[in-house]
Amino acid sequence: MVGRTPLVGRGAELERLDEAIGEVTGGHGGSPGVVDLTGPAGMGKSRLLTEVCRRARGRGLTVLRGRATEYERHIPFRLFTDAFADLDPELLREKGADPSVAPVLHGVAADPGAGRSAPLDRFAVHRAVARLLTELAERGDGGGGGHGGDRGGHGCGLLIALDDLHWADPASLELLDHLVRHPLRAPVTLVVARRDRQTSPSLTAALTRGVDTGAVLRLDLGPLAERACVEHLAPDLPAARAARLYAASEGNPLYFLTLLQGQGDGPALPAGGLAALLLDELTPLTDTQRRTTEAVAVLGDHATAPLLAHTLTASAPDPGPLLPGPTDPGPLDADLAVLAGRDLVRRGPGGSWSLRHPVLRTVVHENTEHRRRTDMHRRAAAALAGAGAGAAVRAHHVERALTGWDPEAAAVLLEAAGQSEATAPASCAHWLGVVLRVLPDTAEHGAQRRELLLRRARALGVCGELRQSRDLLHELMARPGSDEDGGLRASAATLCASMERHLGDYASAVALLRRELARRPAPRPADALALGLELGSSAPHALSYDEVREDVRRTLDLARRLGNEPAEAGALTITALGETYGGDLVTARALTDRAAARVDALTDRELTELCEPLARLSWSEFYLERYADAQRHADRGLALARRVGPLHLLPHLLLCKAIVHMSTCRMLPALELVDEAESIARGIGSDELLALVLANKAQVLLAALPPGDGTPLAVAEEAVALCGGRSSWWASLAWCVLSYTALHAGDPRRARSAMLRAGGGPQLARLQPTMRPLFLEALVTAAVTTGDLADAEAWSRRATADAERLGLPAQRASALRSAGQLLAGRGEPGPAADLYALAAEEAGRSGATLWEAQALLIGSSLRTRAGDPAAAASLWHHGRRLAETGGARLLTGLADLFPPPRAMTAPAPSPLPHLTPREQQIAALVAEGLTTPAIAARLYLSPRTVDTHLSHIFRKTGVTTRSALAALTARRTG
């Protein structure tokens, strides 16, 4: 018999984990918020997690431990609910009264809308849980000991251990992703364990992004060394047999122990592999003991003695409240004692039982006779209903017990779907899909099937499954009877066109919408309004705005006649963006003002169904160089989209805010935003959306990375490849960005070719008129670089004419830089420097700090060439300071490569010479008495990044407090 697996050979990993716990308990910033343990099944992740929890408790941290399970992957927030079960019961009841965290603390509520003025949404849950974790970490009195029952001491700090993350439900994964992207400003560390090969691509991307940003520490558990494995797990085994077992196990401790218990002695696992060895352990059991083992596998974490007794009952009448069990508990207790003695089952918290390892549970569950397993799940669902369990918990067993259409079972599944619609749309879509699978496809059930198809398509769209949603909507519209329900058909067509648009098939979206609008009898006015708004959103991607202007005008008029203010706001944002993109800025400014006024007058609830207009309005304001307004509306749109909006809207809002940050030279938050947009876009499956995201990301990377880094070019190349042969608005942008990245990679000919490809030829008819001077600057640069000054002059003249017509400061600045390049190419550095000075003024006037810094630095170089080193030095210092403050490493790198003569004189001695420039800057601000949030705001950094720098400063200087650092800085500068 094999006892609990000892911890073997993980000294290096434990040392790093001890450091992470020490940084939490010591209150130092800079420690990763998440530790990611990866490795194959049986490699010791859970055992290492147990040891980490034990050590954390020993240091006084509150410890919560949860485990995902293979058979409950559609119960929303189940992983975190399991972890919060370790809270003190009184605190659990107190915090569970808050409806925002109740779905996580207690599972999805029976009535998620009760007592609230607006439906609960999953992003509000994320924020509420983050606040709760911060509170638990700071008060240090809420914890428990995790699974196993022993509760540790309570100090300041919180450790959350999440096991088998690869099996986590989508709602839990969304919550974890939120915690990775928004690290808590509290002594909290999450340690997660997962099998890398079984992890979803979206989770892998989220954790990898966290590794790149320093928010996640990854520890990969490999095979144990032979000596450690044998000496600790089988010290008395003869050397030759130990070597054979080790070779067969390939260094996996679970396999080694299973082979040892099974007396395996071959060079490899026996026929049937590990499953056969594990099933061998059940051979000596009696029939009742084996069925008890199977019932534990079926019930999972709900395997308490009363529920086991009900599940093992020969028949399944309504069990009623679970007070005493329906059978004599004596035989069951005896069987559990035997199973525990054989280490097949182990006691868990709250009187529950579990099989000793998830692999064993999988093997037992899958090898239980099908009819008996189905019957057990059916009895488990009835028993849980009697115990008052929520629909989401019961739905898992109901699904596994389904053998055909059952209205009562369907009612449970539909209740679970309704409860999870706002907080866990993926679970909602799953349960609706289960009902649709067994619902008879007859005329009697036709209306119900159509309604469920629409609900499921909407849920799939919300969680980013655009293709599945689109295909389901096509199926719905093709079904018999769909023409009879005009309202449902119009809703399906509108949603389907939206899916087509976000997947990049604009022509299909427009054709579908025009067909539905032309149907006879005509759609009801409210349906025509929804179809018209989507037409205005889709058509400009496939046609010129001139071709759809009249359609949008009719939709706007209809919204006004119906008194639908949100729809009117939506139509106004369509017209504003259309005119802004087209370059009629007099009309665009007036429409943007009207759209902003209308949107600002609406409440969040009124905008809930139309948060997309905020993305259009934000982009209009960005193109008009109203950066503060663009960010304000993007922030409001993000708040709405995170709460209730479809997932595929988030990248558009994230990108707008990122490009505003880039233009105003705030590179770190811009990078964080484009990274988040990319992780969402890659999970959605739209090449067109991903191309848009990557094109914008390449722009940000170009400014944020040092000269010579090839990453921006590689990202731009991927964006162009995703566009294929399309010639849409977004495809044109991708080619423009490729042009810029090719220029900086030293390939002006490719830059010229890419920009002409973006514009559809030398006339550049496809280039966005509002941004054309900036795009023409790339052609001027390429021509000057290759010595083709005639071409450069032609492009420069066109840029100047376009910029004067637009009247936008940043675009005028671009045209001035183009003219300056031409003069510099002709050997006139003085006049060229004058133009760059004007360009800096124009860019500064609009708030485009990135372009201001660039103009100052190029102007500095030209002043040096013109023989004016004093003016060159002044421009250089000003431009470099702007670039460094904003994190524009391209510009700081170029500035350092080409400093003016006066900048090369010996610098003043640094007060703390062993610190980096950024660390010296932060130390100086600490000496001024600024707090971490104030420093973050001053330097456009995140508070967590400031804390990371402070931890490095403390280590390098040997001081441990802010006051000591301030005193040291003052002494060095005094």
Side-chain angles (χ1 to χ4, degrees), residues 118 144 258:
T258 303

Side-chain angles (χ1 to χ4, degrees), residues 2-9 44 47-48 224 229 232-234 253 257:
V2 180
R4 291 179 184 269
T5 308
L7 183 64
V8 180
R47 182 62 187 86
L48 183 57
L224 290 175
C229 191
H232 288 84
L233 299 180
L257 285 168

Side-chain angles (χ1 to χ4, degrees), residues 627 631 658 660-671 886-887 940:
Y627 300 131
Q631 181 171 337
V660 168
H661 281 330
M662 182 198 77
S663 301
T664 54
C665 206
R666 289 174 283 173
M667 304 314 302
L668 182 64
L671 285 169
Y940 298 110

Side-chain angles (χ1 to χ4, degrees), residues 557-582:
D557 289 344
L558 178 58
R560 287 171 177 157
R561 288 200 306 275
L562 295 176
N564 189 327
E565 293 184 353
E568 183 183 349
L572 280 170
T573 63
I574 292 171
T575 62
L577 182 57
E579 300 295 354
T580 301
Y581 182 87

Side-chain angles (χ1 to χ4, degrees), residues 601-618:
L602 296 173
T603 66
D604 283 355
R605 174 177 283 191
E606 289 172 316
L607 279 173
T608 293
E609 296 299 321
L610 288 168
C611 62
E612 189 171 6
L614 284 160
R616 289 192 289 264
L617 178 58
S618 299

Side-chain angles (χ1 to χ4, degrees), residues 535-615:
L535 179 63
S537 301
S538 298
H541 291 275
L543 310 166
S544 72
Y545 185 70
D546 291 341
E547 295 176 83
V548 294
R549 184 180 283 107
E550 186 59 27
D551 294 294
V552 177
R553 187 196 61 76
R554 282 196 298 269
T555 301
L556 179 59
D557 289 344
L558 178 58
R560 287 171 177 157
R561 288 200 306 275
L562 295 176
N564 189 327
E565 293 184 353
E568 183 183 349
L572 280 170
T573 63
I574 292 171
T575 62
L577 182 57
E579 300 295 354
T580 301
Y581 182 87
D584 181 358
L585 296 198
V586 173
T587 304
R589 288 188 180 97
L591 286 168
T592 301
D593 288 341
R594 288 171 58 195
R598 178 62 70 192
V599 165
D600 290 343
L602 296 173
T603 66
D604 283 355
R605 174 177 283 191
E606 289 172 316
L607 279 173
T608 293
E609 296 299 321
L610 288 168
C611 62
E612 189 171 6
L614 284 160

Side-chain angles (χ1 to χ4, degrees), residues 248 258-259 264-280:
T258 303
L259 286 165
D265 198 25
L269 291 178
L274 179 63
L277 283 172
L278 292 171
L279 287 173
D280 236 15

